Amino acid sequence: MTLTVPCLFGLESLVADEMRRLQLQNVRAENGRVHCEGTLADIARLNINLRCGARVLMELGSFPAPDFEALFQGVAALPWEEFIPKDGEFPVKGYSLNSTLHSVPACQAIVKKASAKRLGAVYGCETLPETGSRYQIQFSIIKDVATLYLDTSGEGLYKRGYRAQNMGAPLRETLAAALVTLSRYRGRDPFCDPFCGSGTIPIEAALIAKNRAPGLDRSFSAQKWKNMPSRLWLEAGDEAMDKEFHGAYDIWGGDIDPAAVELARHNAELAGVEDYIRFEVADAGKFHRDSEYGQLVTNPPYGERLMEKREAEELYRSFGAAMRTMPPKWRILVLSSHTEFERCFGRQADKKRKLYNGMIKCDAFLYGR
Ligand SMILES: C[S@@+](CC[C@H](N)C(=O)[O-])C[C@H]1O[C@@H](n2cnc3c(N)ncnc32)[C@H](O)[C@@H]1O
């Protein structure tokens, strides 16, 4: 079957790499999503292992839907009963892009009616109870072609389960994992985040260093599905745990705000990586390390959400000055949406990559080869 993993814009190639490493077949990336061919077992493996993907969708079918009748007939022709049992709850959500059918609530109602009609006919009842497990239906209509999915993840994969509370502007866990991956951190060199906030980047770095699957401590919708044997989840969990490393790592997170540092420590405990990270109250403007190699990945305040723009620029200046004291072989990656970041920081990036933090357009500025 075709499995589709939506992701934040800019992360497609990283997600595709993750899928290839999990030996999924026919991996192909497009804007904001990556497809592959897989089995029910792969649904469990993807949900448990993916660091940068947003969720795992199972594709049921795709067809032209230039009008409501075509949408209705196309949805009613799909074999919903192969997956959704008589008591299954099947809410519908979706979106439409560049299509004649552009009213999402109207399309939602049609998809619901058509799938309910099919299930009602198969199960011989006019009203379905919807009292059982959740089978979230998702649809997309792009250029008049409808594609229907079942969402196997439930809560987005960025919800690893370790972030009990949020600080002001936390980074999505999937994006933090992507930044750590882009820095090519493998657990060998020192790793630092001097604006760590609630600790997301150092925690994701620790999970990557240990090769610990990010989904081991949470549950997924499809775990409750009738057609998905529970042994598939146990096997995927065992396979992931067998790949874990047990080394010693030098990971550090600093923040000027003592409350952030306390929260970061708490989150690291929840993630089970508190023994691998040191958190400290520290001013990023005074950051320095002597070791020859290292990776620094960070997400300083942007200026629009946490402080005024001018204050952020001042901060980038002092942080830039601190970075000029660093040994030259450190790889430094800074995520910022501030258009003047490089000018304030005082150095043009060696590489830039466009990313989205939720709806905020950002750049990852990479210094060092
Ligand atoms: C955008 S947030 C980082 C969010 C973090 N990545 C997370 O996931 O929670 C920026 C952080 O920089 C901290 N900060 C501001 N000025 C600082 C300074 N001079 N030195 C260190 N940290 C500072 C703020 O307290 C805030 O927690």
Side-chain angles (χ1 to χ4, degrees):
M1 66 181 95
T2 299
L3 302 174
T4 295
V5 177
C7 62
L8 291 169
F9 287 106
L11 303 192
E12 298 86 350
S13 62
L14 297 180
V15 173
D17 286 346
E18 289 194 272
M19 286 157 87
R20 287 191 192 100
R21 277 201 301 277
L22 288 167
Q23 269 120 40
L24 271 305
Q25 300 300 309
N26 198 8
V27 175
R28 60 236 184 248
E30 60 178 70
N31 251 357
R33 49 187 53 219
V34 187
H35 311 278
C36 68
E37 302 310 314
T39 60
L40 286 179
D42 292 322
I43 290 178
R45 296 175 67 240
L46 285 167
N47 273 302
I48 288 175
N49 287 286
L50 282 181
R51 294 185 196 282
C52 304
R55 56 182 65 252
V56 182
L57 306 175
M58 194 173 98
E59 191 180 313
L60 266 91
S62 201
F63 50 86
D67 52 43
F68 286 129
E69 181 58 19
L71 181 63
F72 187 93
Q73 295 305 338
V75 172
L78 295 175
W80 297 102
E81 65 283 0
E82 284 179 19
F83 301 96
I84 306 178
K86 187 174 181 181
D87 67 347
E89 186 196 3
F90 55 106
V92 178
K93 62 181 173 195
Y95 65 90
S96 161
L97 276 180
N98 305 328
S99 299
T100 317
L101 297 180
H102 58 266
S103 162
V104 171
C107 295
Q108 229 165 328
I110 294 285
V111 172
K112 180 76 188 187
K113 221 167 139 188
S115 48
K117 186 175 175 226
R118 167 113 189 180
L119 288 168
V122 173
Y123 295 127
C125 43
E126 223 157 86
T127 326
L128 292 149
E130 296 203 52
T131 48
S133 304
R134 176 177 281 232
Y135 297 75
Q136 175 76 55
I137 297 179
Q138 279 216 14
F139 67 85
S140 68
I141 307 178
I142 302 174
K143 291 188 186 154
D144 291 337
V145 174
T147 309
L148 274 294
Y149 307 94
L150 283 177
D151 175 6
T152 73
S153 302
E155 281 200 301
L157 296 184
Y158 66 89
K159 291 222 167 142
R160 320 284 209 216
Y162 65 69
R163 201 152 68 181
Q165 306 155 270
N166 287 342
M167 285 291 293
L171 198 63
R172 282 254 161 122
E173 291 83 337
T174 44
L175 183 52
L179 297 178
V180 176
T181 307
L182 288 173
S183 82
R184 303 207 297 273
Y185 174 63
R186 303 265 192 282
R188 270 188 301 271
D189 306 322
F191 181 96
C192 299
D193 174 3
F195 296 95
C196 75
S198 60
T200 321
I201 294 174
I203 291 170
E204 290 298 322
L207 295 174
I208 285 174
K210 284 176 66 53
N211 205 26
R212 185 180 173 82
L216 280 171
D217 294 331
R218 57 158 281 174
S219 58
F220 305 95
S221 263
Q223 271 172 307
K224 298 201 189 110
W225 288 7
K226 290 215 165 114
N227 66 339
M228 265 208 73
S230 53
R231 94 182 139 71
L232 296 181
W233 296 92
L234 295 174
E235 284 167 9
D238 284 347
E239 180 198 32
M241 281 189 283
D242 284 346
K243 289 189 192 154
E244 222 170 292
F245 305 141
H246 300 279
Y249 308 102
D250 180 1
I251 304 173
W252 180 89
D255 199 286
I256 200 131
D257 178 359
V261 171
E262 200 176 309
L263 179 60
R265 278 199 193 112
H266 180 64
N267 286 343
E269 262 173 50
L270 291 177
V273 292
E274 72 275 20
D275 292 342
Y276 302 94
I277 314 173
R278 282 178 302 121
F279 287 108
E280 268 171 1
V281 176
D283 181 355
K286 300 196 173 106
F287 183 88
H288 182 76
R289 289 290 185 277
D290 286 323
S291 54
E292 191 180 353
Y293 293 96
Q295 269 94 14
L296 186 148
V297 177
T298 200
N299 153 229
Y302 291 162
E304 58 247 82
R305 289 203 287 178
L306 285 180
M307 357 159 56
E308 290 308 315
K309 243 185 156 138
R310 198 101 54 77
E311 274 180 88
E313 289 176 3
E314 205 36 62
L315 191 54
Y316 294 166
R317 261 180 217 108
S318 60
F319 179 49
M323 288 303 100
R324 283 192 282 283
T325 71
M326 292 290 286
K329 288 181 182 156
W330 272 65
R331 198 171 299 122
I332 295 166
L333 194 145
V334 185
L335 182 76
S336 178
S337 67
H338 198 304
T339 46
E340 293 300 305
F341 173 78
E342 285 167 294
R343 184 181 58 77
C344 302
F345 188 73
R347 202 176 136 196
Q348 279 235 309
D350 296 310
K351 245 193 218 166
K352 266 193 265 185
R353 191 170 172 129
K354 264 196 198 338
L355 296 170
Y356 282 81
N357 183 11
M359 293 307 283
I360 304 173
K361 195 168 145 207
C362 301
D363 276 299
F365 298 96
L366 185 71
Y367 298 89
R369 307 274 156 197

